[in-house]
Amino acid sequence: MKPLKPIPDWEEHEKPTLPGSASMPWHPPHRRLAYAAVALLVGLTGGLGNALISANLPWITGQMGLQASEASWLVAAYLMVNVSANLLVFKFRQEYGIRLFAEIGLGVYAVLAVLHLFVGNLTTTLLVRAGSGFAAAACSTLGTLYMLQALPRKYVGQMLVVGMSLSTLATPLAWLLSPGLLDHGEWQNLYLFEAGLALCSFAAVVVLKLPPGIQIKVFERTDFLTFALLAPGLALLVAVLSQGLLHWWFDTPWLGWALALAVVLITTALCIEHQRRNPLLQVRWLMGPTMLRFIAGAFLIRFLTNEQNYGVINMLRTVGMGPDQMAPLFAVILCGVVAGIVVSALTFGPKALIPQLLASIILLCSAALLDQHRTSMDRPMDFALSQFLAAAGSGMFMGPLMLIGIRQAMARGLNHIVSFIVILSLTQSFAGLAGSALLGSYQLHRGHVYSTALVSRIEATDPQVAHRLQQQQQAYARLLTDPVQQKAQATAALAATARREANVRAFNDVFALSGWVAICFLSWLLLEVTLRNPRIKQAIRPGRASTPSS
């Protein structure tokens, strides 16, 4: 590829690794510290806004007078744009530079967030969430590129691990910041903070620029045709996964039509890519056995993090815990994520990649198994040990996962990097969304089963039930004078308690399911590693060769 701009006379250690990446000149210590600070700021900006909305979604739903199905579109809008923007971000930075993409993304995001403060309806809320998804596509990459400037080139692997893992800090930070942001105001405080964060990141990127890199001509007209097909197809898939649980999968016809249209659009795009000489997505490579195993592994390990992101959070919400009560637990989770990132960076190396992934799966599995016997009396800090382990596992896996994929892509050539970046982004986004949808559906089903079993045992002739109803009636006697109303309220309260206990039992089943998935995944990975051992291969081959002669 012919460079679009003259290439500076770099020394060997200063040259960028890839077109679209920044060069790595010498920096004084204070500038390296500034690059690290900007990396942290930009990396958090990409995910913190969406994490704040997810953490406070029930509260925002009430404040804005939304239905649950309407509120779920706030999270879906972020993902619908984010997964599509990631299709073009790598090629865009190769041809135009990542800074331009980041300035456009952060600028649009900040303008929409400020506009929303003055308008404040569902339409502008969805636009802000869409702008946040667009900006996050650039911020995740930009944060990594800034972090690579924080230390000399010999530490590039460690800095890559840290940069790729910055987004995992967003969720615990959102839960820690939420009580303070909502203490003296309404939903506007969240968007005021979000707008300020976007403006600060925009200013930081403009003031402290990345060193120049190599820009080459990479876009082709067919890239935009592929994007025009894949973007709505992926957006429809996000819509189905985000709305399926609320509308129920088999009771809403438009979900089926949306899924069918998504399959048609995505299949058409992949068929076009399969026939191209210089495709945006290397379909043949992605459909090979090696990459299919990688995709399955990347999907599963992200799926396992839903034990924390969906299971624990929603169980605590079920027993009445809010952001104020859960803040100490998320301080522990934040420490766990940081510990996982630090361990992953310090032990970085080609030989450590598989052990790090194994350790991450073991930690996530341990957390799920520790949580499978919870009760409605458990409070946030009762989850401290299990969620510290889960957080450490979540902070540990992204670095080695990224590096394993990059090595496989680089072995095939530069044009395979785009396919890898896109597929990694898609597996992480859809594994999180599909995990919540699957675990939520399973929890709802098990909750109905347990609720039916518990409610069927509530009979007024049962001495324990009669005693409990009498206690409830005495409690309502201070508020209600009519005995009939007292009995009705006591019966309703007892039924609500039964439903709560049923939901807690159902969440225990969710934790057990996550644990078994982790055990199966760990067994599969250990089998893969064992069979790929050269000594094992040599031991197997003679046995296979001698079979026919026997």
Side-chain angles (χ1 to χ4, degrees):
M1 290 290 184
K2 183 179 179 180
L4 296 176
K5 294 182 179 179
I7 298 178
D9 187 18
W10 287 307
E11 295 184 16
E12 189 61 32
H13 67 278
E14 295 178 330
K15 293 180 180 179
T17 307
L18 298 169
S21 301
S23 57
M24 302 189 69
W26 178 88
H27 300 296
H30 69 276
R31 191 182 300 161
R32 293 193 183 279
L33 184 61
Y35 274 118
V38 173
L40 182 61
L41 174 64
V42 173
L44 290 177
T45 299
L48 190 53
N50 190 60
L52 284 169
I53 299 302
S54 299
N56 299 284
L57 194 59
W59 188 86
I60 294 171
T61 302
Q63 283 283 318
M64 298 187 68
L66 303 176
Q67 299 292 329
S69 58
E70 293 176 324
S72 68
W73 283 108
L74 301 183
V75 178
Y78 170 89
L79 286 171
M80 289 168 78
V81 176
N82 182 256
V83 296
S84 303
N86 277 308
L87 291 168
L88 297 180
V89 64
F90 191 84
K91 277 199 170 184
F92 189 98
R93 73 183 174 102
Q94 285 184 314
E95 187 160 335
Y96 299 103
I98 185 63
R99 190 173 68 243
L100 177 61
F101 188 89
E103 290 173 356
I104 294 173
L106 288 169
V108 171
Y109 178 26
V111 169
L112 289 173
V114 173
L115 175 66
H116 182 57
L117 293 172
F118 296 98
V119 181
N121 55 32
L122 180 59
T123 302
T124 57
T125 305
L126 291 173
L127 287 174
V128 173
R129 301 274 44 89
S132 174
F134 181 74
C139 286
S140 58
T141 301
L142 196 64
T144 303
L145 294 177
Y146 269 90
M147 188 59 72
L148 292 175
Q149 304 293 324
L151 286 176
R153 194 176 190 120
K154 64 179 180 179
Y155 300 106
V156 65
Q158 287 82 354
M159 291 299 97
L160 186 62
V161 169
V162 174
M164 286 299 304
S165 304
L166 288 176
S167 60
T168 57
L169 300 174
T171 297
L173 277 175
W175 283 90
L176 288 173
L177 294 172
S178 292
L181 290 173
L182 301 177
D183 192 22
H184 300 293
E186 297 185 351
W187 58 264
Q188 286 89 346
N189 276 4
L190 291 176
Y191 285 94
L192 185 62
F193 177 79
E194 194 173 4
L197 201 63
L199 288 170
C200 288
S201 295
F202 181 80
V205 170
V206 172
V207 172
L208 184 62
K209 300 182 184 297
L210 284 169
I214 300 174
Q215 293 176 222
I216 58 175
K217 177 69 176 176
V218 290
F219 275 122
E220 298 179 3
R221 290 182 180 180
T222 316
D223 290 338
F224 299 100
L225 174 60
T226 300
F227 181 79
L229 292 169
L230 280 178
L234 294 173
L236 286 170
L237 198 54
V238 170
V240 171
L241 290 173
S242 63
Q243 296 293 317
L245 179 59
L246 295 172
H247 295 279
W248 199 244
W249 309 99
F250 307 111
D251 296 342
T252 309
W254 73 262
L255 289 174
W257 289 109
L259 183 59
L261 183 56
V263 171
V264 170
L265 290 171
I266 293 172
T267 303
T268 304
L270 294 179
C271 289
I272 292 173
E273 290 297 289
H274 185 74
Q275 301 299 325
R276 291 178 61 189
R277 178 177 296 179
N278 297 310
L280 179 66
L281 294 175
Q282 300 286 342
V283 178
R284 289 183 176 86
W285 177 59
L286 293 176
M287 293 297 103
T290 301
M291 280 307 297
L292 287 177
R293 285 195 295 267
F294 177 86
I295 291 169
F299 185 94
L300 284 172
I301 198 167
R302 176 65 179 86
F303 173 88
L304 294 177
T305 63
N306 285 288
E307 187 270 340
Q308 181 178 91
N309 298 334
Y310 170 80
V312 172
I313 291 174
N314 283 286
M315 178 182 167
L316 289 173
R317 280 174 172 167
T318 298
V319 297
M321 299 293 104
D324 287 338
Q325 292 81 16
M326 285 193 267
L329 173 62
F330 277 94
V332 174
I333 290 174
L334 179 61
C335 293
V337 173
V338 172
I341 295 173
V342 170
V343 170
S344 180
L346 292 179
T347 59
F348 169 80
K351 294 182 179 180
L353 298 181
I354 297 300
Q356 285 177 352
L357 287 178
L358 291 172
S360 177
I361 298 168
I362 291 171
L363 290 171
L364 291 167
C365 178
S366 301
L369 296 179
L370 284 172
D371 286 335
Q372 65 178 329
H373 299 295
R374 295 297 179 181
T375 69
S376 60
M377 300 303 294
D378 283 319
R379 291 299 176 259
M381 289 308 291
D382 294 324
F383 291 82
L385 174 60
S386 65
Q387 295 315 296
F388 180 87
L389 296 176
S394 300
M396 190 180 295
F397 80 83
M398 181 52 73
L401 194 67
M402 180 78 175
L403 294 171
I404 289 172
I406 287 178
R407 288 171 60 184
Q408 293 179 354
M410 290 293 289
R412 293 287 187 136
L414 177 61
N415 54 355
H416 287 67
I417 292 290
V418 179
S419 299
F420 165 70
I421 296 296
V422 169
I423 207 66
L424 180 64
S425 172
L426 291 178
T427 56
Q428 298 308 288
S429 297
F430 280 104
L433 197 57
S436 296
L438 175 61
L439 295 180
S441 301
Y442 182 66
Q443 191 275 333
L444 187 62
H445 166 69
R446 297 301 297 166
H448 282 313
V449 172
Y450 286 126
S451 181
T452 301
L454 289 174
V455 171
S456 65
R457 298 177 185 176
I458 299 178
E459 298 179 1
T461 56
D462 189 319
Q464 291 184 348
V465 174
H467 178 66
R468 184 68 177 268
L469 287 172
Q470 184 179 7
Q471 289 180 325
Q472 294 283 359
Q473 286 180 253
Q474 291 174 355
Y476 284 109
R478 301 176 183 177
L479 304 174
L480 302 172
T481 57
D482 187 351
V484 176
Q485 290 186 353
Q486 291 176 12
K487 184 176 181 180
Q489 290 293 333
T491 303
L494 187 59
T497 301
R499 287 194 297 271
R500 183 194 66 196
E501 295 299 323
N503 280 320
V504 170
R505 290 188 182 184
F507 277 111
N508 283 334
D509 288 351
V510 167
F511 300 144
L513 176 63
S514 296
W516 281 109
V517 170
I519 290 172
C520 294
F521 181 31
L522 181 63
S523 301
W524 172 54
L525 189 57
L526 286 172
L527 183 62
E528 281 279 320
V529 172
T530 302
L531 293 179
R532 290 179 180 279
N533 188 301
R535 294 181 180 178
I536 301 295
K537 283 184 177 181
Q538 290 179 359
I540 292 175
R541 284 173 183 170
R544 286 180 178 175
S546 60
T547 303
S549 61
S550 61

